[in-house]
Amino acid sequence: MCGIIGITGQSTVTERLVDGLKRLEYRGYDSSGIAVINGTGLKRARAEGKIKALERTLDMTPLDGHIGIAHTRWATHGVPNETNAHPHFYGRVGVVHNGIIENFLELRNSLPGHKFQTETDTEVVAHLIEDSLNRGLSPKDAFEDTLKKLKGAYAFGVIIDGVDDQIFCARAGSPLAIGIGEDEMYLGSDAMALAQLTNKLIYLEEGDWAIISPKDAQIFDREGASVTREETIITGGLAMAEKGNYRHFMLKEIYEQPETVGRTLANYVDEFNLTANLPEGLDFSKFDRIIIIACGTAYYSGVVAKYWFEQLANIAVDVDIASEFRYREPVISENSLFIAVSQSGETADTLAALRYCQSKGVTTAALVNVMTSTMAREADIALPINAGPEIGVASTKAFTSQLTALASIALSAMKSRKNISRDAEIRLANALIKTPRKIKEALELDPQIEQIAFELSKSRSAFYLGRGMQVPIAYEGALKLKEISYIHAEGYAAGELKHGPIALIEDGTPVIVLAPYDNLFEKTISNLQEVASRGARIILITDEIGAKSTGSMASEMIVVPSTDSFVAPIITTIAIQLLAYHTAVHLGTDVDQPRNLAKSVTVE
Ligand code: F6R
C-alpha cells in the first residue's frame, strides 16, 4: 500500500505532485506529504489524514521546486500521525517508501549515534544513505549500498540535497514505474498516478533501481548492471473517475453494474451464437485442476467459481486465500491452471502466489480489472474484467464482473471438456446474457433496502446465511457491512450455524438469509426457522418464486428478480451491496474511504 510519485523537471512540481497523490489516495489515506529541493535545500510539508489536509497545510505554507517526491500512506509501522508521515528526512536525504523494511530494527541498531524521529521502518533508509554519503560514497553508490542492506519489500523515491535534478528510485516487491515526459521524468506507483503527466512508461522489474533526471533515466538491475527496459504506451482508461450526481463513488459503482457486467460479458460470451468464448491461451482439456487464489472480496468470487467449475466442467478446484497459500507449501501438479483474481492486480500476497506457481511450471492466468497491473503483465494469460476504474474502497462492480467472467470461463471450460449438451449451453449463455437486465431490476429495490438498512444500522452485529453458491455471497455481505458501517457481521453456511454460532442469536439479532429459489431453498428455509424461533430478526433475500413459498417467517423480505440459479449469486449480490451501503450512510461513516483500509494492498 502507500502511493509514491516523483517529478524531476523544468517547472514547479507541487501542484502536480498533489494531483498525483489524489490519484493514488486509493492506496492509503492515513497521512500524506511532499518534499522538494529548491534554492534553500530540502523542504517538506506533511499532514495527518487525507490529501485535503495536506492541501490545507500547503495553502498556509506554500512550498515549491523543480524536483520533488510525494507519498500517501497506509500505516504499517508507527501510528498515522504527522511525525510518521513520509517523506522522511535525515541530513541531506529525503525518502518516500511503499512496502515494509523487515530488518529495520537491526539496521537502526547498526547506526550508533543516530537519533530517530519516527516509529517507521522507512526512516532508517534516509539514515543509511546519509551515513554512506558521510563515508565519502557518491550519491549513486550510497543509494546502491543502502539497497543491498535491505530485507523486505520496497518501492522508493529518494532525493538528496546537492543533487538537485536527480531522483533515485528502486523496486523490489512493490510496483514502480518511470514516466517519460518532455524534458521531464517522473516516477509513480502506477500508471494512474502519472496519467496527467505522461502515457509513456517504463515498468521497473523486480530488483531494478534507477536514477532519473529531466532528460535521462539510467536503470540498473539487482547486480548493478546497466539495463534497458521496454517503454510502454498506456492507452485510454486512466481518466480520474467522477462521482457525477451520486453521493458516493460506491453508490455510483453499484449503479454502474448493469453496464459493467455487460462489458464483461461482451468479452467472454458470444450473444448471437449463445456460446462462451474460450479465452486465448486456455485449453481446459489439458488441465486436471484449477487453483484460484485471491484476497477479500476477490477471494469470495473464487469460492463461487469453485461451484461453477466443479458442477459444470467437472474439474477440481482449490480456492485459497493468498496469504495462506503462499506459505503453506501447497502440493501443485504441473497440469494445474492457476488463476489469480484481483481487482487491482497488485495485491502483494496474490502476486506472490502467482510467482510461486510460475516457479513450479504451472500455467498462470490473472483475472484483473487493471490491465496495466503487475499481475496482468506477469501472468501467462491476462483475463480482463473490464469493470472500469473502481474508486470506492469497498469493492462492488469489480466483484460482479469477476463473477461474470468466472461464470463465463466455467461455461467455456465445460464446452472444451465436452461436458455439456448444446441445450444446456444455450440455457446458461442465455442466463448470463440476461444478467445486466436482472441487475437493473434488482437496483429498483433500492428505496426499500434503504428503509431496511435504517433498522440494521441500530444493531451491533449481524449474521448472513446462505447455502451453496450463496455461502460466499453471505461472506461478502458480512464483509461489505463490516468494512463500511463498522458493524460486526459474520457470514455462515446456513447449515453450520447450529454447530456453535447460534449461541449468539438473541431477541432481535439481525440475520440476513440469502435464499433464492433453488435446489437448496427448502433446507435454507429450515435453517431460517431455527434462528427465527430463537428471536432473530430475519431479513430474507429471495426471488419471486421463493417469496411465494415462504409465508411470513421473515420480518423483512427483499425480493430480487428470479433467474437461472447459475447466475443467482450475481443478483443477490446487488441486495447485499445496497444494504451495506445504506446502513453505512445512516451511520454517517466515510463510505468511500472507510477507516484503516486501502484499496490496493501491496504489503503482505
Ligand atoms: C473489500 C475489498 C477487498 C479486496 C481485496 C483484494 O471490499 O475490496 O477485500 O477485494 O483487498 O484486492 P484485489 O482484488 O485488488 O486483489
Side-chain angles (χ1 to χ4, degrees), residues 12 15 24 33 35 58 77 82 100 120 144 158 187 200 231 260 350 374 377-378 407 452 468 496 500 502 532 564:
T12 55
E15 213 172 291
L24 286 170
L58 285 165
H77 295 62
E82 189 183 324
I100 295 177
T120 67
E144 186 180 12
V158 171
L187 73 95
K200 214 189 277 181
E231 264 180 45
T260 49
T350 312
T374 312
R377 282 182 285 112
E378 291 192 11
I452 296 174
E496 185 64 14
I502 201 163
D564 191 300

Side-chain angles (χ1 to χ4, degrees), residues 294-299 341-347 350 375 390 392-396 402 476 479-480 483 597-601:
C295 300
T297 291
Y299 165 72
V341 184
S342 174
Q343 188 284 129
S344 63
E346 300 292 353
T347 302
T350 312
M375 282 182 223
E390 189 178 64
V393 163
S395 187
T396 52
Q402 284 158 353
E476 170 63 2
L479 173 61
K480 284 287 91 89
E483 67 183 331
L597 296 177
K599 183 84 186 148
S600 181
V601 184

Side-chain angles (χ1 to χ4, degrees), residues 1 153 173-175 295 322-323 326-327 342 344-355 375 600-604:
M1 5 260 282
S174 302
C295 300
S323 55
R326 61 182 292 199
Y327 293 115
S342 174
S344 63
E346 300 292 353
T347 302
D349 286 316
T350 312
L351 179 59
L354 186 151
R355 288 178 177 157
M375 282 182 223
S600 181
V601 184
T602 56
V603 292
E604 60 175 286

Side-chain angles (χ1 to χ4, degrees), residues 493-550:
E496 185 64 14
L497 207 71
K498 54 178 146 314
H499 297 285
I502 201 163
L504 293 167
I505 302 291
E506 295 173 347
D507 245 8
T509 305
V511 177
I512 295 105
V513 180
L514 293 147
Y517 194 80
D518 58 17
N519 60 333
L520 296 168
F521 177 78
E522 275 156 16
K523 295 198 183 301
T524 315
I525 296 303
S526 300
N527 300 133
L528 180 160
Q529 306 267 22
E530 290 159 10
V531 285
S533 62
R534 286 163 177 84
R537 189 168 67 81
I538 307 289
I539 300 167
L540 175 63
I541 301 176
T542 184
D543 55 18
E544 288 130 358
I545 310 172
K548 285 196 194 111
S549 328
T550 43

